[in-house]
Amino acid sequence: MAGGRPGRPALDAQPWVVRLRGPLFDLGLALLIGLFGLFGTAPAGADQPGVVPPDGRAYTLVVVAALALAGRRRWPLATLAVSAGATSAFLVLGHAYGPILFSLFISVYTVAAYRPVRSAAIAAGAALVAVLVHDFVSAGTTPGLAGVVPGAAWVVVPFAVGVTVRVNREATARNRAEQSRKLADEERLRIAQEVHDVVGHGLAAIYMQAEIALHLLPKRPEQAETALTAISRTSREALDELRVTLAVVRRGDDRAPTPGLGQLDQLRDRLAGAGLPVTVEVTGEPRDLPTAVDLAGYRVAQESLTNVLRHAGSATATVRIGYTPTEVTVEVTDTGPRPGAAGARPGPVSRPGGAPATDGHGLAGMRERVAALGGEFAAGPRPEGGFRVYARLPVEPLS
């Protein structure tokens, strides 16, 4: 099952190479600890008076405790039960502390690192009791602190280390998941801004052209054809740009062509057909810009002009693009009468025909685009009338 058991890695969800690597490592570790126990048990008790020299039973317990480690990650509780039982029997028989304790150490660590804290603590407590049994059996009386601490350390220390590793691993997983969610949210916001800019601009232009056509149709039907032709052209261009945007989203290909400041002339012509005269002024030497900067500059100009078309009624607009070695500026001003407080576009504003209009997410989207690139953004009414939108986008200096 892909989800695995609670507190254990989802083994079936991992590549087979990863699933195989863990068991092979555990098998190698078990063999290494077993060999260490076989060759190190006798020397460990050689200098300790009053201990029983290791015999066949002692070496059997050492091997059993070591081989249990081969399944430590798949069956951590069973591994701990085997190693703790073997270690307890080894010590009850009177043998000295030796390499068998490393099997217990690793087993306790594994339970703490791979099982929920509650069940791990219960299992570690049971293992601690098993390890301390020999102190009561051998002495026949209640041992003092000096007799309990050495055995307890082989359980308490690996348990603390395992819990710490588990907590850190879970914190890392949470941070990774949070980062993934953040990136997904940022991507959704970027897509929403792109779709808003493309669809909003196209629909605003189509709306104004349709108003013109409806106005001309009863009196001068021959001139209404021009507006209808402009509607057809604008809708086709908006659909084409929307298809490109959605295709980029589906493919996840940021290398696809995107609009830029070089297309302002086409934008100007499209808006002229919708009844908004636009003047484009460029200062400085136009040059290739990073894709993100070029797109952001174009979207600021496009959304600003779309808002003029929506809110300003009969007006003209001017787009000023300034190039310097370290930045590019975009300023859009219009002559339309629009009330409102500085720094914020007004609430409901009358469109032609009496329908209310709101700015929606236009200014917020522009501000977020510019801020994401480390630039500056300002928008508000002009003292001489009309509205002004200004964006400064930093660019890496030319080498």
Side-chain angles (χ1 to χ4, degrees), residues 1-15 18-19 22-23 26 71-76 110-116 165-166 169-170 173:
M1 188 170 62
R5 294 180 182 177
R8 266 179 48 185
L11 298 176
D12 295 337
Q14 299 174 348
V18 177
R19 297 201 303 268
D26 291 343
R72 69 186 185 95
R73 273 183 276 201
R74 184 168 290 274
W75 304 289
T110 302
V111 167
Y114 287 89
R115 297 297 301 172
V165 169
R166 178 186 177 85
R169 184 171 60 236
E170 291 176 347

Side-chain angles (χ1 to χ4, degrees), residues 116-294:
V117 175
R118 180 182 176 84
S119 61
I122 294 173
L128 177 60
V129 171
V131 171
L132 295 180
V133 165
H134 79 282
D135 287 319
F136 295 88
V137 172
S138 301
T141 59
T142 302
L145 184 63
V148 172
V149 169
W154 287 94
V155 176
V156 174
V157 171
F159 179 80
V161 173
V163 169
T164 302
V165 169
R166 178 186 177 85
V167 169
N168 289 339
R169 184 171 60 236
E170 291 176 347
T172 300
R174 284 194 299 271
N175 291 338
R176 189 179 298 115
E178 182 63 28
Q179 184 66 19
S180 298
R181 284 194 296 270
K182 181 180 178 181
L183 291 175
D185 290 341
E186 291 176 351
E187 182 65 11
R188 282 194 291 270
L189 177 61
R190 185 183 70 83
I191 294 169
Q193 288 177 340
E194 287 296 310
V195 173
H196 170 273
D197 291 343
V198 171
V199 176
H201 170 75
L203 290 179
I206 290 171
Y207 171 79
M208 294 301 298
Q209 291 159 348
E211 287 288 312
I212 295 172
L214 289 173
H215 179 73
L216 294 175
L217 190 59
K219 302 175 182 178
R220 289 173 289 184
E222 71 283 355
Q223 293 185 12
E225 181 181 354
T226 302
L228 293 174
T229 302
I231 290 175
S232 175
R233 184 181 66 252
T234 301
S235 60
R236 184 177 63 253
E237 292 172 351
L239 284 173
D240 289 343
E241 191 171 354
L242 183 59
R243 288 193 191 99
V244 170
T245 301
L246 296 179
V248 171
V249 172
R250 284 194 294 267
R251 294 195 307 267
D253 184 8
D254 290 335
R255 297 171 298 177
T258 55
L261 293 175
Q263 296 176 261
L264 285 180
D265 288 342
Q266 293 93 311
L267 179 63
R268 176 193 60 195
D269 295 341
R270 192 156 60 239
L271 290 170
L276 175 64
V278 179
T279 302
V280 177
E281 300 177 359
V282 178
T283 59
E285 185 65 27
R287 60 189 178 94
D288 291 336
L289 299 171
T291 301
V293 174
D294 206 16

